[in-house]
Structures are given as C-alpha cells and as structure tokens.
Amino acid sequence: MKRILLVHAHPAIRRSRINKALLAAAQGVEGVTVHDLYEEYPDFHIQVAREQELLRQHDGVVFQHPFYWYSTPAILKQWADLVLQHGFAYGENGRELEGKFWIQAISTGGMAEAYCAVGYNRFSIRQLLAPLEQTATLCRMQFLPPFVVHGTFQLSEAELQQHADHYRHVLTHLCSDAFEPGKVLAHDSLNLAVPLPQTRF
C-alpha cells in the first residue's frame, strides 16, 4: 500500500462547505495522513525539518486547497519556499523527493466552462497549474492530473456529498497497490481518470 501525505491549506475552513466535506472524506482513508497547515502553524512558523521528514515517510503528496487567484493560499507558498530546499528537494544532491507523486486537489468558485481559451479565465486548469508542475518536475517528482471541484458556491447538498464520495474513492485508489501513475497522465483530471462507480452526474 502506498502512503499519501494530504497537505491541507484553507485559511477559513469553517466557511468552506466543499473543503470541509473533502477533508472529512479523506479522514480515515487507509494510507492517508491528513496534515492541516493552518491548524499546525497559525503563526506561519513552519517546522522545516518536521515537514521534510513527513515527505520522506510518504510515497506521494496531495495538496488540497481553494484555487486562490489561480494559485495556492499563502501558507502553502510559505511551506514550499521553506521546505523544498536546495540539497533536499532539488539540486545535484537534492533527491529526497525523487519518484514521489504530486497532486493538487483544488476547488473553484467558477464553473468548469470558465477555464478554457474562450472562458473568462482564458486558460485551462492544467495551464494555470504550470508553475506548480514545474516545481514538482524540478524536485524530480511526478506531477499527476489534479482533482478539481468547480462551481462550489452552487453545489447542492447531494452534489457536495457526491464530490466527497468521489474524493474518498480517488484517495483510496491512489493508496492501493494497483495504482499506476502512468495510467492517469493522459487525463485532464483525476475526476475523469478515476471515476466514481455509478456516478449520477
């Protein structure tokens, strides 16, 4: 079984229906370690050695967060700036993360059709994630398609639960010995690569 470090970052989780639902769905999935940065470091004083040891202990990382301004919440940028050090994550001798996989699990207020060349965001989610993909590549990690929930302000309770069920299903699949990262690379998202059985929408 693979071990996944789920790094969660939301500065106002109590107001986020979708991130609360996704986080609850991830709790208890065998092989997943949930690590909430705002809970751990409300003062932003990140313990670098501790974070690096957590990365060593896992086969892959899922970064779960709202897609703020086409990027991550501030604490996740702080985390990357401090934890992904030269000599640890990159550079000639920085090979601690080599071969591990990197996944974004993001939520957007905008609908899916807004993320394309003719939409008001002008670019696809995969294009907007390019800086993070390059970060993963520099760290010799494998950047996999994201898990994305769009239109979060308009989700019904049933849709919210369906996305949470799907997220749990994806995480369970990622932890299984049967998971082969190479088989999902061609997809735009893990939502499509690892569909929820008998999905209703």
Side-chain angles (χ1 to χ4, degrees):
M1 170 171 287
K2 297 178 179 63
R3 297 195 64 200
I4 293 175
L5 179 62
L6 194 162
V7 178
H8 175 257
H10 196 304
I13 182 63
R14 290 163 187 80
R15 297 204 303 266
S16 172
R17 296 166 64 227
I18 186 60
N19 276 281
K20 275 194 296 190
L22 296 181
L23 203 57
Q27 301 281 359
V29 174
E30 191 175 5
V32 174
T33 302
V34 174
H35 186 50
D36 190 325
L37 292 184
Y38 280 100
E39 284 291 324
E40 295 285 340
Y41 305 113
D43 54 5
F44 275 51
H45 291 159
I46 291 171
Q47 297 178 31
V48 174
R50 179 185 178 216
E51 296 301 311
Q52 291 178 341
E53 185 55 31
L54 279 171
L55 289 171
R56 289 189 186 97
Q57 293 171 358
H58 293 81
D59 300 297
V61 187
V62 173
F63 297 98
Q64 182 192 321
H65 58 90
F67 202 36
Y68 281 176
W69 291 109
Y70 315 108
S71 186
T72 67
I75 200 169
L76 197 48
K77 179 63 166 62
Q78 171 93 337
W79 180 95
D81 289 347
L82 296 177
V83 176
L84 303 180
Q85 292 177 330
H86 183 271
F88 171 78
Y90 70 99
E92 184 177 354
N93 299 315
R95 294 179 174 271
E96 296 282 354
L97 305 180
E98 187 169 8
K100 299 178 187 290
F101 57 83
W102 173 313
I103 295 169
Q104 304 296 134
I106 56 179
S107 56
T108 75
M111 304 301 283
E113 53 268 28
Y115 291 88
C116 64
V118 296
Y120 66 79
N121 288 313
R122 301 178 54 221
F123 299 97
S124 70
I125 288 287
R126 289 303 301 268
Q127 290 171 319
L128 292 167
L129 289 176
L132 296 173
E133 181 172 0
Q134 177 54 25
T135 302
T137 300
L138 191 66
C139 295
R140 301 182 174 88
M141 298 177 72
Q142 190 167 25
F143 189 83
L144 300 183
F147 181 86
V148 187
V149 180
H150 289 290
T152 57
F153 300 128
Q154 300 180 38
L155 294 176
S156 67
E157 289 301 318
E159 290 168 332
L160 203 67
Q161 187 58 53
Q162 185 111 19
H163 286 299
D165 291 344
H166 195 176
Y167 191 48
R168 183 185 301 111
H169 175 69
V170 168
L171 291 173
T172 301
H173 181 69
L174 294 175
C175 289
S176 75
D177 291 330
F179 173 60
E180 297 180 37
K183 291 189 174 180
V184 303
L185 289 175
H187 294 272
D188 287 335
S189 71
L190 286 179
N191 310 60
L192 297 173
V194 188
L196 184 64
Q198 299 179 333
T199 185
R200 295 193 296 270
F201 60 91

